[in-house]
Amino acid sequence: MELTTVWFVIIAFLWTSYFFLEGFDFGVGMLLPVLGRDDVERRVVINTIGPVWDGNEVWFIVAGAATFAAFPEWYATLFSGFYLPLLAILIALIVRGVAFEYRGKRDDARWRARWDRAIFCGSLVPAFLWGVAFANIVRGVPLDGSHEYAGTLLDLLNPYALLGGVATTVLFVLHGAVFLALKTSGEIRFRARRVAEIAVVAAIAAGGSFLLITQVQHGKPVTWLTAGGAAAGLLLAAVANRRGREGWAFIGTGAAIVLAVVTLFTALFPDVMPSTLASGTLTTENAASSAYTLKIMTWVAAAFTPIVMIYQGWTYWVFRKRIGTSHIPAAPKKKPEPVR
């Protein structure tokens, strides 16, 4: 296997890991105002991802850095042509991270409510725009002979891309609801399961439609298997959630996300950025770095990727137990001011 193909597979793995892990993060953030009826319940919801959300975002950083190093032409075209959507994603992620850290800095209901809205918006915007971006990558965008983006922002907001954004949003909401049912106890757990029952219907409708169109327009024989596997994962999640088997439901939603992303990357290969014009298509060959660069990167990835995976797996193992409102300490009562 050529190193260009190896690095296409590695980048696909990094993005798949990011969407699998950050997917339930985004889902939890979007469900914060739905499942958190008061401040204690909202703290429970946030605490389910509190120890892991920043570690999950590392996969995005690594995926972007790997794309820059292995396929600099792809990186340059992607980040220049998709500048505004990617900037919106970056701002949303920054606001979301600040909201997690600052929410509890003041004992004030309005202060917390503002940051709760920031968490919701900071989760919704990336969940939607990542779907729009990857749908456009698979569909193709107007690139000229110099591999420069020759379209406008409106070209990115085509029906297929918007459907991709809806599909990722509802998939992440479902993934987050199942994760909350797996990680919480008491009333929040049962509320999350009820939300998952609704979300799985929307995920099957939007996600199934998106994958079917992708398969018809851009698919290959093998992607029928991965797309069908994604649909089977959603069905597994629906059945397991109804039976109260949250672990199996989470496996189902995770498999659906993983196989959906694999379907997109498999349909894309060997291109990395198709052009809708007569020329300009970027492939794994004309977008790649030198063979020496890819060789050095391969050794580095082989050495450090297992370490990162083991450490992150250990983190999830440490924080594996359910949490509920009983685990949230009561807010200290304010001392009455002395009467003068």
Side-chain angles (χ1 to χ4, degrees):
M1 184 182 294
E2 296 180 356
L3 285 180
T4 53
T5 303
V6 169
W7 272 97
F8 182 89
V9 173
I10 291 175
I11 289 173
F13 167 75
L14 294 173
W15 281 111
T16 302
S17 301
Y18 171 67
F19 287 130
F20 172 77
L21 295 171
E22 193 78 331
F24 65 76
D25 273 5
F26 291 149
V28 170
M30 288 184 283
L31 290 173
L32 178 62
V34 177
L35 298 180
R37 302 291 175 82
D38 55 35
D39 184 61
V40 173
E41 290 186 348
R42 286 190 286 272
R43 288 172 65 188
V44 170
V45 171
I46 292 172
N47 284 355
T48 60
I49 59 173
V52 297
W53 69 267
D54 48 355
N56 294 342
E57 288 192 353
V58 169
W59 290 93
F60 166 48
I61 299 171
V62 176
T67 304
F68 170 76
F71 300 102
E73 285 282 349
W74 184 13
Y75 181 92
T77 301
L78 177 64
F79 279 79
S80 60
F82 292 27
Y83 178 79
L84 288 178
L86 292 176
L87 178 63
I89 290 173
L90 182 60
I91 292 174
L93 291 176
I94 292 172
V95 170
R96 180 172 172 266
V98 172
F100 281 133
E101 299 296 334
Y102 275 74
R103 183 186 185 277
K105 297 299 184 183
R106 286 175 56 182
D107 185 18
D108 180 78
R110 287 182 296 180
W111 169 271
R112 290 191 293 267
R114 294 190 191 102
W115 290 118
D116 288 344
R117 287 192 292 270
I119 292 172
F120 172 79
C121 295
S123 301
L124 174 63
V125 170
F128 178 75
L129 289 181
W130 279 130
V132 172
F134 272 84
N136 275 301
I137 291 174
V138 174
R139 173 181 177 269
V141 293
L143 301 178
D144 60 24
S146 301
H147 309 305
E148 296 289 338
Y149 182 68
T152 64
L153 177 62
L154 292 179
D155 292 324
L156 301 178
L157 302 179
N158 55 81
Y160 173 72
L162 294 176
L163 177 60
V166 172
T168 53
T169 301
V170 295
L171 274 172
F172 292 164
V173 167
L174 172 62
H175 200 34
V178 171
F179 177 78
L180 283 170
L182 179 65
K183 284 288 294 178
T184 59
S185 59
E187 183 62 25
I188 300 177
R189 175 188 179 188
F190 295 106
R191 263 187 239 141
R193 284 171 53 185
R194 288 195 294 269
V195 169
E197 289 181 1
I198 301 172
V200 74
V201 176
I204 291 173
S209 300
F210 176 70
L211 287 179
L212 180 60
I213 295 173
T214 301
Q215 179 62 35
V216 171
Q217 295 183 351
H218 312 285
K220 301 171 182 176
V222 69
T223 52
W224 280 112
L225 296 177
T226 55
L234 290 178
L235 293 176
L236 171 62
V239 174
N241 179 70
R242 182 169 288 274
R243 295 183 178 181
R245 303 294 297 273
E246 291 97 346
W248 281 105
F250 186 73
I251 291 174
T253 57
I257 291 173
V258 167
L259 291 172
V261 178
V262 170
T263 299
L264 296 182
F265 273 96
T266 305
L268 181 64
F269 183 81
D271 297 337
V272 295
M273 183 73 79
S275 175
T276 56
L277 303 179
S279 61
T281 293
L282 283 168
T283 68
T284 54
E285 293 297 328
N286 63 17
S289 294
S290 67
Y292 181 75
T293 299
L294 295 179
K295 184 176 180 180
I296 296 298
M297 289 175 59
T298 303
W299 284 109
V300 173
F304 288 100
T305 302
I307 297 175
V308 174
M309 294 178 65
I310 291 171
Y311 173 77
Q312 192 161 25
W314 175 78
T315 303
Y316 277 93
W317 176 256
V318 170
F319 295 102
R320 67 188 182 279
K321 293 184 178 180
R322 295 180 182 270
I323 63 173
T325 54
S326 61
H327 298 98
I328 303 298
K333 295 182 179 180
K334 295 181 179 180
K335 295 181 180 181
E337 294 183 2
V339 179
R340 295 183 180 179

